[in-house]
PDB file of all heavy atoms in Angstrom:
ATOM      1  N   ASN A 169     104.835  74.503  87.717  1.00  0.00           N
ATOM      2  CA  ASN A 169     104.067  73.231  87.607  1.00  0.00           C
ATOM      3  C   ASN A 169     104.889  72.100  86.984  1.00  0.00           C
ATOM      4  O   ASN A 169     104.400  70.952  86.928  1.00  0.00           O
ATOM      5  CB  ASN A 169     102.748  73.402  86.840  1.00  0.00           C
ATOM      6  CG  ASN A 169     101.760  74.312  87.569  1.00  0.00           C
ATOM      7  OD1 ASN A 169     101.717  74.303  88.791  1.00  0.00           O
ATOM      8  ND2 ASN A 169     100.997  75.073  86.813  1.00  0.00           N
ATOM      9  N   ASP A 170     106.128  72.354  86.541  1.00  0.00           N
ATOM     10  CA  ASP A 170     106.988  71.267  86.057  1.00  0.00           C
ATOM     11  C   ASP A 170     107.504  70.480  87.247  1.00  0.00           C
ATOM     12  O   ASP A 170     107.545  70.944  88.378  1.00  0.00           O
ATOM     13  CB  ASP A 170     108.160  71.820  85.259  1.00  0.00           C
ATOM     14  CG  ASP A 170     107.739  72.283  83.872  1.00  0.00           C
ATOM     15  OD1 ASP A 170     106.593  72.003  83.467  1.00  0.00           O
ATOM     16  OD2 ASP A 170     108.592  72.911  83.195  1.00  0.00           O
ATOM     17  N   SER A 171     107.956  69.248  86.974  1.00  0.00           N
ATOM     18  CA  SER A 171     108.567  68.405  88.002  1.00  0.00           C
ATOM     19  C   SER A 171     110.063  68.293  87.755  1.00  0.00           C
ATOM     20  O   SER A 171     110.542  68.406  86.626  1.00  0.00           O
ATOM     21  CB  SER A 171     107.937  67.021  88.003  1.00  0.00           C
ATOM     22  OG  SER A 171     106.556  67.086  88.335  1.00  0.00           O
ATOM     23  N   ILE A 172     110.803  68.072  88.817  1.00  0.00           N
ATOM     24  CA  ILE A 172     112.267  67.958  88.704  1.00  0.00           C
ATOM     25  C   ILE A 172     112.772  66.974  89.776  1.00  0.00           C
ATOM     26  O   ILE A 172     112.294  66.959  90.899  1.00  0.00           O
ATOM     27  CB  ILE A 172     112.945  69.334  88.870  1.00  0.00           C
ATOM     28  CG1 ILE A 172     114.471  69.228  88.672  1.00  0.00           C
ATOM     29  CG2 ILE A 172     112.610  69.943  90.224  1.00  0.00           C
ATOM     30  CD1 ILE A 172     114.879  68.985  87.248  1.00  0.00           C
ATOM     31  N   VAL A 173     113.737  66.165  89.386  1.00  0.00           N
ATOM     32  CA  VAL A 173     114.336  65.214  90.319  1.00  0.00           C
ATOM     33  C   VAL A 173     115.579  65.849  90.911  1.00  0.00           C
ATOM     34  O   VAL A 173     116.372  66.463  90.201  1.00  0.00           O
ATOM     35  CB  VAL A 173     114.710  63.908  89.604  1.00  0.00           C
ATOM     36  CG1 VAL A 173     115.516  62.989  90.524  1.00  0.00           C
ATOM     37  CG2 VAL A 173     113.465  63.193  89.117  1.00  0.00           C
ATOM     38  N   THR A 174     115.739  65.716  92.230  1.00  0.00           N
ATOM     39  CA  THR A 174     116.909  66.245  92.931  1.00  0.00           C
ATOM     40  C   THR A 174     117.606  65.110  93.649  1.00  0.00           C
ATOM     41  O   THR A 174     116.947  64.297  94.299  1.00  0.00           O
ATOM     42  CB  THR A 174     116.505  67.342  93.921  1.00  0.00           C
ATOM     43  OG1 THR A 174     115.762  68.356  93.238  1.00  0.00           O
ATOM     44  CG2 THR A 174     117.723  67.958  94.561  1.00  0.00           C
ATOM     45  N   VAL A 175     118.912  65.105  93.577  1.00  0.00           N
ATOM     46  CA  VAL A 175     119.705  64.062  94.211  1.00  0.00           C
ATOM     47  C   VAL A 175     120.436  64.643  95.397  1.00  0.00           C
ATOM     48  O   VAL A 175     121.118  65.664  95.313  1.00  0.00           O
ATOM     49  CB  VAL A 175     120.752  63.456  93.224  1.00  0.00           C
ATOM     50  CG1 VAL A 175     121.521  62.337  93.882  1.00  0.00           C
ATOM     51  CG2 VAL A 175     120.075  63.010  91.938  1.00  0.00           C
ATOM     52  N   PHE A 176     120.270  64.031  96.568  1.00  0.00           N
ATOM     53  CA  PHE A 176     120.961  64.429  97.788  1.00  0.00           C
ATOM     54  C   PHE A 176     121.878  63.280  98.218  1.00  0.00           C
ATOM     55  O   PHE A 176     121.581  62.129  97.931  1.00  0.00           O
ATOM     56  CB  PHE A 176     119.976  64.747  98.916  1.00  0.00           C
ATOM     57  CG  PHE A 176     118.996  65.838  98.610  1.00  0.00           C
ATOM     58  CD1 PHE A 176     117.717  65.558  98.186  1.00  0.00           C
ATOM     59  CD2 PHE A 176     119.385  67.152  98.704  1.00  0.00           C
ATOM     60  CE1 PHE A 176     116.806  66.558  97.884  1.00  0.00           C
ATOM     61  CE2 PHE A 176     118.479  68.182  98.412  1.00  0.00           C
ATOM     62  CZ  PHE A 176     117.207  67.869  97.997  1.00  0.00           C
ATOM     63  N   ALA A 177     122.941  63.611  98.898  1.00  0.00           N
ATOM     64  CA  ALA A 177     123.841  62.588  99.351  1.00  0.00           C
ATOM     65  C   ALA A 177     124.392  62.960 100.732  1.00  0.00           C
ATOM     66  O   ALA A 177     124.833  64.093 100.917  1.00  0.00           O
ATOM     67  CB  ALA A 177     125.001  62.400  98.381  1.00  0.00           C
TER      68      ALA A 177
END
Side-chain angles (χ1 to χ4, degrees):
N169 294 326
D170 284 351
S171 296
I172 184 71
V173 172
T174 305
V175 183
F176 301 99

